[in-house]
Amino acid sequence: MTLNEERQVATRLALEAGELLRTHLARGLIVEHKTGADDPVTAADREASDLILAGLRAAFPGDGLLSEEAADSPSRLGVERVWIVDPIDGTKEFTSGSPDYAVSIGLAVEGEPVLGVVYVPATDELFVGVVGEGVTKNGAPAGFSDRTEYVVSVSDTEFKRELHRHELPGMAPSGSIALKLARIAAGEADVTFTMSPRSEWDIAAGHALVRAAGGDLRRRDGRPIRYNVARPHIEQGIIGGRLEAMEWLEGELSVRNLPTAHLGLKATDPAWTVLPPEDQTALDGHPGIFVRHAGGRALALLVVGPGGSVERAEGDAFHLERLTRDVTRALGPLDRQPLRAGGLD
C-alpha cells in the first residue's frame, strides 16, 4: 500500500491546524464543557476540525470522515477508508496552558489503522508513521527504545485520582493519549494503559504510529481494536506499546489488581464473568450494563435504561464515582437518584 499523497496531505493539514490553535491561544479562549469539568471544548476545536475535514474531503472525496467535533454520518460505515480525526487531543491541557496537547489525524483501511500524523503545536513536534514504512519525528527516522527499565506513560488525570496510590514502576503522567502513543513510537516512552475507555479519534493516529514502529494497541481484555464501527467508542481501557513492554505491564496490572471499566457489557464479553451468577441470569440481554472490575470481581455496577435512567447503581463508592464519570462521558448526563454504595457482595 502506497500512501505518499495521504501522508503529505495529513501532514500539511496537521501543521495548518496547529497554527490555527496557536492563533486561538494568542487571542484568548472561551471554554465550554460537554459532560463535565473534565470534558472542555472551545471554538478552536471546532474550527480545527472544520479545517482538517475540508482538506481531507477535497483531497480524498471517496473516503469516510470521523471527527470528535463534527456530526457523525453513517455513510462512513459503507466505505473502505476512513479518516479519524481529533483536532485537539488534550483539550483540557490546551485550555489550561499545558503544552501536552496534539492534533491527531489517522487513516484506517478496512478497520485497521495504517497511517498516523500527530502534531504538537506548543513544541513544534511532528510524528508521522505508515505501517510497513516506519516512523519519523520532525522528518528524521525514529523508533522504539531498547531500554529494559520501561517508561510507562499514564493519564495525568488517572494518576492524580487513583494511580498515585499504586507502586507501579516507571509511571510518567501526561495528558494527550495521541501524544503518549506518538512518544512511544519514537522511543521516548515504552508502554501505556488506561483504566477508562477511549474513543476512536483519541487513538487511531497513535495506534498507527505504534504499529508502524512494530508494536500494538489493544483492549485491556486482550481483544483487538477495530476502527470505523457504528459506535466509535472503545468500551474499556486500553494497553499498547512495545510488545515485550506490554507483556510485562499486563503482568504488573494483574498483580496490582488495577481496574478497568467496561461499558455496554454483553454476555459474550470476557468481563461478563465478574458479575454474580444471579446478575448474569437477570441482566442477560440488557443493553445498558456498565461495570468497573479488577481481579475477577465487579467493583461497581451501573444498569442504565432508556433515556439515561439509572435502574441500579451498586458497589464501592469510589469505583462507582469513577464508573459514573466514564458512563456520563459516553452517554451524556444520567437521570438518577443519588448513587449509593454497597450491594455487590
Side-chain angles (χ1 to χ4, degrees), residues 101-317:
Y101 64 92
V103 179
S104 177
I105 303 175
L107 174 64
V109 178
E110 295 184 340
E112 296 284 343
V114 298
L115 180 151
V117 175
V118 173
Y119 178 57
V120 192
T123 55
D124 197 27
E125 295 173 276
L126 176 68
F127 303 83
V128 181
V130 175
V131 175
E133 299 182 21
V135 176
T136 63
K137 179 181 177 182
N138 291 342
F144 287 151
S145 80
D146 58 2
R147 66 175 68 87
T148 55
E149 293 186 1
Y150 300 125
V151 176
V152 184
S153 189
V154 299
S155 160
D156 52 3
T157 299
E158 292 184 350
F159 182 82
K160 290 172 185 174
R161 293 183 174 174
E162 188 167 359
L163 286 176
H164 70 276
R165 305 175 183 179
H166 300 271
E167 295 182 356
L168 178 66
M171 284 193 291
S174 61
S176 162
I177 183 65
L179 184 51
K180 289 182 181 68
L181 294 168
R183 295 203 184 285
I184 289 169
E188 299 167 25
D190 300 291
V191 68
T192 188
F193 78 99
T194 72
M195 291 179 286
S196 294
R198 296 294 187 268
S199 298
E200 289 189 19
W201 44 75
D202 299 320
I203 60 174
H207 190 175
L209 289 168
V210 169
R211 288 188 70 211
D216 201 7
L217 182 71
R218 58 178 176 255
R219 290 172 168 82
R220 284 275 299 275
D221 67 11
R223 292 186 293 177
I225 296 170
R226 299 284 296 177
Y227 292 86
N228 194 33
V229 298
R231 190 172 185 277
H233 306 286
I234 315 307
E235 74 281 354
Q236 60 185 271
I238 58 175
I239 182 169
R242 295 168 53 189
L243 298 180
E244 64 273 22
M246 289 174 65
E247 182 179 1
W248 166 83
L249 180 57
E250 285 177 326
E252 295 293 325
L253 299 181
S254 177
V255 167
R256 290 167 174 77
N257 284 334
L258 283 172
T260 183
H262 194 121
L263 310 185
L265 187 67
K266 305 181 188 65
T268 53
D269 294 323
W272 185 258
T273 60
V274 307
L275 298 178
E278 60 273 20
D279 280 341
Q280 293 184 33
T281 300
L283 296 176
D284 192 4
H286 194 294
I289 305 169
F290 306 88
V291 65
R292 199 171 206 247
H293 66 95
R297 69 185 187 92
L299 304 171
L301 171 69
L302 279 172
V303 181
V304 180
S309 59
V310 176
E311 298 173 1
R312 287 175 60 184
E314 300 173 358
D316 172 86

